[in-house]
Amino acid sequence: MAGRAAEPEVIWARPERSGRGPRPAYSRADIAAAAVRIADAEGLDAVSMRRVAAELGCGTMSLYNYVPRKEDLYELMVDAAGGEHELWEPSGDWRADMLRVAHQTRDLMHRHPWLPRLMSPVYGFSPNALRYLEHCLACLDPMPGPQGTKLELIAMLNGIVTTYVTNELATAERARSLPWSQEQENAVRGAYLMSRVASGAYPRMAAAFAEDPGPIDLEAVFERALTRVLDGFDPRR
Amino acid sequence: MAGRAAEPEVIWARPERSGRGPRPAYSRADIAAAAVRIADAEGLDAVSMRRVAAELGCGTMSLYNYVPRKEDLYELMVDAAGGEHELWEPSGDWRADMLRVAHQTRDLMHRHPWLPRLMSPVYGFSPNALRYLEHCLACLDPMPGPQGTKLELIAMLNGIVTTYVTNELATAERARSLPWSQEQENAVRGAYLMSRVASGAYPRMAAAFAEDPGPIDLEAVFERALTRVLDGFDPRR
DNA sequence: TCGTAGTTACGTACACCGTACGTAGTGCGC
DNA sequence: GCGCACTACGTACGGTGTACGTAACTACGA
């Protein structure tokens, strides 16, 4: 019987190769890379077991030898993306290091727009996620206080980055599978919103739209959000 | 031809009743209520067009007269949940008011655990969402600064609450459709995590797990996170 | 008042999904 | 060299969203 257990299972706990039987034709890395390739090129919704198997050049059900459930395929993808995190020797300035981490995560999500959708606390302990977490904690060594607080900070920053990038990408990832362009969608939604606001029922929203903020600098908004969170955690303030 | 347009469409922009033809058998509120009932009782994954139609007592395809795409059904659900937000006369203390808003949102998400999964910036402008936004801005009237900053604060708080509740619920919503219990899942994942940490490869993670934080007060973590964000936005600090 | 156009209602059908199950072939460990 | 655990994979089932066609109904313009 193959690995389709009726019990919960962590894919990272099962060995990639178990000695007996024919040598597996693909590695976990191969499979993850195939899925990531598809998701990058055609969007997350294009990642189906059949599609990934086809990309690998094997039968659909062969995939289930490697990946008991589709969810585990997602976990492989998130881990593969996490492997792109470039780690460094902590500088001693934990605030600067955490800012750098956050920016790197944001870049990662831009490179793989499907990542935010798969980023859930559930997939938190893949090998690369552990590597990443340990690195963050190392960066936070100079920060006083209990480890628990540091974990809180890391979680908070990750949450902010995910939320922010989700906003940034908006419908971009979803739009790939729609029959119309994102510009069309934004135009229609914008027109509707303007008509509602113009109705006069929402005076403060109207004021918000009326005020001219100058050129909107999303980058600055992001930076400000991070700084605010770091301030909130900085014991020197 | 029914409303299946090849153009993007905002469901709130189309009239519920268009005069001509037979009187529609159901209102948008009926449909939303049916979907919400199913999602509350059986989880979001149980909400299919067929299932909702059955709950209403009509044919599957009849639903498409009211809801051109499934996504719009989700939008109806989010709006219906948003209608449960109880608004009040702003107190004059914007920090206190925003805390109250955040707690209410959290309660809402506990009542409807599928909400965080559907909470995306895309569904941001349903009637009840606009009501909610306007109310938040009213609460923020005493706060100095441009409206843009206030919108940033609201977005940030919503993001925090969503992230936090997602963590809180963890696999709870997902677990409903799995053949094993959430306790089993947590046990297996916990055991795996412990084994990895015990390997010695992640000394700082090990330290984090080793330190005894006393009883973990999730409520306090939430409160602290909110306070930190409010601090970051408070011009008096 | 009556035809007709626009709507509602809904059954059928299609392409896709995740995956349970059974079977055949392969190669390591004893 | 035997046996068995493992890989490979075809078939099939029950589900999904939804395109399309048809029949019934109602409110409006003539």
Side-chain angles (χ1 to χ4, degrees):
Chain A
M1 181 64 72
R4 296 160 223 149
E7 286 180 10
E9 189 178 9
V10 181
I11 192 169
W12 311 111
R14 65 147 80 177
E16 250 202 282
R17 173 118 171 77
S18 46
R20 285 286 251 290
R23 164 171 300 275
Y26 313 99
S27 70
R28 251 171 223 168
D30 291 337
I31 295 169
V36 166
R37 223 177 304 134
I38 296 168
D40 283 347
E42 305 167 44
L44 184 58
D45 292 337
V47 176
S48 72
M49 296 301 272
R50 283 172 237 263
R51 183 76 183 71
V52 172
E55 180 85 10
L56 284 169
C58 70
T60 306
M61 294 315 290
S62 308
L63 249 192
Y64 281 90
N65 288 318
Y66 302 87
V67 169
R69 289 163 299 130
K70 188 182 185 186
E71 205 180 47
D72 294 309
L73 178 63
Y74 286 150
E75 208 151 344
L76 253 49
M77 293 174 68
V78 173
D79 183 65
E84 295 182 23
H85 260 124
E86 162 209 343
L87 312 186
W88 62 86
E89 199 60 36
S91 69
D93 178 348
W94 60 270
R95 290 182 56 119
D97 279 341
M98 290 317 282
L99 277 177
R100 190 168 160 195
V101 166
H103 276 101
Q104 219 184 80
T105 305
R106 174 166 169 266
D107 291 345
L108 198 61
M109 289 179 173
H110 279 164
R111 221 150 48 224
H112 305 296
W114 42 268
L115 245 189
R117 260 175 67 184
L118 295 187
M119 273 290 210
S120 120
V122 182
Y123 308 110
F125 302 115
S126 72
N128 278 319
L130 287 173
R131 236 174 34 104
Y132 165 82
L133 255 181
E134 184 71 16
H135 175 249
C136 286
L137 285 174
C139 291
L140 289 174
D141 267 346
M143 176 187 176
Q147 298 287 89
T149 306
K150 299 179 186 177
L151 288 177
E152 271 178 44
L153 170 57
I154 297 168
M156 186 93 156
L157 282 176
N158 270 328
I160 303 280
V161 174
T162 304
T163 310
Y164 179 82
V165 176
T166 301
N167 267 286
E168 226 176 355
L169 298 176
T171 53
E173 163 69 4
R174 194 179 62 94
R176 218 193 301 252
S177 59
L178 290 180
W180 48 74
S181 75
Q182 194 187 342
E183 285 73 26
Q184 266 183 295
E185 170 113 8
N186 287 347
V188 170
R189 297 197 96 96
Y192 159 74
L193 180 56
M194 287 309 163
S195 79
R196 295 306 301 147
V197 165
S199 76
Y202 312 101
R204 293 177 184 83
M205 294 263 346
F209 280 88
E211 86 184 359
D212 179 20
I216 302 175
D217 188 351
L218 282 179
E219 196 76 33
V221 175
F222 181 54
E223 205 68 32
R224 237 179 296 146
L226 294 179
T227 307
R228 276 166 177 151
V229 171
L230 287 175
D231 283 351
F233 276 86
D234 197 333
R236 292 170 310 188
R237 301 177 134 254
Chain B
M1 185 60 70
R4 294 160 227 152
E7 286 181 9
E9 189 178 9
V10 182
I11 191 169
W12 310 111
R14 66 147 78 177
E16 250 201 282
R17 173 119 172 75
S18 46
R20 285 287 252 288
R23 165 172 300 274
Y26 313 98
S27 71
R28 251 171 223 168
D30 292 336
I31 295 170
V36 167
R37 223 177 304 134
I38 295 168
D40 284 347
E42 305 166 45
L44 183 58
D45 292 336
V47 176
S48 72
M49 296 301 272
R50 283 173 237 265
R51 183 76 183 72
V52 172
E55 178 86 10
L56 284 169
C58 71
T60 305
M61 294 316 288
S62 309
L63 248 192
Y64 281 89
N65 288 319
Y66 303 87
V67 169
R69 288 163 299 132
K70 189 184 185 187
E71 205 179 48
D72 294 309
L73 178 62
Y74 287 150
E75 208 151 345
L76 254 48
M77 292 175 68
V78 172
D79 183 64
E84 294 181 24
H85 261 123
E86 162 209 342
L87 312 185
W88 62 86
E89 199 60 36
S91 69
D93 178 350
W94 60 270
R95 290 182 57 120
D97 279 339
M98 289 318 282
L99 277 177
R100 190 168 160 195
V101 165
H103 276 101
Q104 219 183 82
T105 305
R106 175 166 168 266
D107 291 344
L108 198 61
M109 288 179 171
H110 278 164
R111 220 150 48 223
H112 304 297
W114 41 268
L115 245 190
R117 259 174 68 184
L118 294 187
M119 272 289 209
S120 120
V122 182
Y123 308 111
F125 303 114
S126 73
N128 278 319
L130 287 173
R131 236 174 34 104
Y132 164 83
L133 255 181
E134 185 71 16
H135 175 248
C136 286
L137 285 175
C139 292
L140 289 174
D141 267 346
M143 175 186 176
Q147 298 287 89
T149 307
K150 299 179 187 179
L151 288 177
E152 271 178 44
L153 170 58
I154 297 169
M156 186 95 156
L157 282 176
N158 270 327
I160 302 278
V161 174
T162 305
T163 310
Y164 179 83
V165 176
T166 301
N167 268 285
E168 227 177 354
L169 299 176
T171 53
E173 162 69 5
R174 194 178 62 93
R176 217 193 301 252
S177 58
L178 290 181
W180 49 74
S181 75
Q182 195 187 342
E183 285 73 26
Q184 265 183 294
E185 170 112 7
N186 287 346
V188 171
R189 298 197 96 96
Y192 159 74
L193 180 56
M194 286 308 162
S195 79
R196 295 307 299 145
V197 165
S199 77
Y202 312 101
R204 294 177 184 81
M205 293 265 340
F209 279 88
E211 86 184 359
D212 179 20
I216 302 175
D217 189 350
L218 282 179
E219 196 76 34
V221 175
F222 181 54
E223 205 68 32
R224 235 178 298 144
L226 295 179
T227 307
R228 276 166 177 150
V229 171
L230 287 175
D231 282 351
F233 275 85
D234 197 333
R236 292 170 311 188
R237 302 178 133 251

